[in-house]
Amino acid sequence: MEFFEVLRKRRSIRRFQDRPVPRELVDKLLESTFLAPSSYNKRPWHFIVVDDGEKLKALSKAKLGASGLATAPVAIVVTADETKSDVWIEDSSIVAEHIQLSAFALGLGAFWVQIRNRMHDETKSAEEYVREVLSIPENYRVLCIIGVGYPAEKKPPHGEEVFEWEKASHNTFGRPWKKR
Ligand SMILES: Cc1cc2nc3c(=O)[nH]c(=O)nc-3n(C[C@H](O)[C@H](O)[C@H](O)COP(=O)(O)O)c2cc1C
């Protein structure tokens, strides 16, 4: 698929077919992360591929908005060593988007489950919860979980409504960029 077609067609897919994702495609998703840029090329990340049904079910309870992980055959948990980079959030966000876009280019569906700054319940953060489920060391922060699988829902590609040209300025904030 051509790159701009991937960008237009990528939508959040939260329901998945009961069909495993071939191991080679998971390898490709991981390859896409290793190709990502990072500040000072520090590459502070670590990924946990989860395909154990019980663990996926547990992750689907991490917080509100994670339930789609229960039908995902695989999820990639994006973590980074905060002692290695002060901009681990930016570095990890880029890899998470690489995973989402690569999934679409490979004919899969994917969605982002935000973990950082979200709560599991009144007392426990979603990050602590995920850390416990997957035995993640203290210095590794959990940004998000990308659920991946063959789509069981269809969504239209992004249309003209997302092109908010008024959000682009030219040389000075608020001076409209004129699209050709
Ligand atoms: C930082 C971030 C956090 C998100 N968190 C969640 C989430 O916790 N659960 C979820 O179902 N979708 C989540 N999403 C997906 C957004 O809801 C989705 O991208 C947005 O509604 C636009 O729809 P689209 O992806 O189909 O274009 C998140 C997306 C981003 C970028």
Side-chain angles (χ1 to χ4, degrees):
M1 219 189 293
E2 193 256 325
F3 185 64
F4 269 83
E5 200 185 342
V6 173
L7 291 182
R8 259 189 354 98
K9 290 190 171 162
R10 185 215 56 79
R11 296 296 314 275
S12 293
I13 296 299
R14 300 180 177 90
R15 284 192 292 120
F16 302 95
Q17 297 173 30
D18 184 13
R19 176 180 165 197
V21 174
R23 190 78 181 216
E24 308 79 65
L25 295 192
V26 178
D27 289 342
K28 277 272 173 228
L29 297 179
L30 290 171
E31 270 179 36
S32 82
T33 68
F34 301 132
L35 293 166
S38 67
S39 175
Y40 292 111
N41 201 22
K42 282 188 179 164
R43 310 162 68 83
W45 44 64
H46 190 99
F47 309 103
I48 303 145
V49 178
V50 181
D51 59 5
D52 175 288
E54 286 306 309
K55 289 205 163 142
L56 285 164
K57 211 182 268 173
L59 292 179
S60 76
K61 295 179 182 140
K63 58 153 223 171
L64 277 177
S67 60
L69 292 174
T71 72
V74 65
I76 298 179
V77 181
V78 178
T79 78
D81 185 345
E82 67 174 343
T83 67
K84 277 200 184 140
S85 175
D86 58 346
V87 291
W88 67 270
I89 298 172
E90 290 83 345
D91 291 342
S92 312
S93 300
I94 292 169
V95 292
E97 182 62 350
H98 271 215
I99 298 170
Q100 288 209 99
L101 292 174
S102 302
F104 274 79
L106 294 168
L108 300 162
F111 79 118
W112 178 311
V113 175
Q114 181 68 19
I115 297 300
R116 189 187 70 86
N117 262 2
R118 297 288 180 264
M119 294 300 285
H120 167 66
D121 58 24
E122 276 182 13
T123 55
K124 188 181 280 192
S125 71
E127 206 175 335
E128 274 180 289
Y129 176 87
V130 172
R131 197 183 292 291
E132 282 170 17
V133 172
L134 302 174
S135 307
I136 298 169
E138 282 274 308
N139 49 318
Y140 279 84
R141 300 292 306 275
V142 185
L143 179 83
C144 68
I145 305 174
I146 308 293
V148 180
Y150 287 97
E153 60 178 332
K154 263 206 154 95
K155 287 189 174 174
H158 285 298
E160 287 298 314
E161 73 286 352
V162 298
F163 293 100
E164 301 171 297
W165 292 102
E166 72 283 4
K167 290 190 178 171
S169 294
H170 195 183
N171 291 326
T172 302
F173 192 100
R175 183 183 294 160
W177 169 261
K178 297 252 190 302
K179 176 190 176 289
R180 290 262 158 89

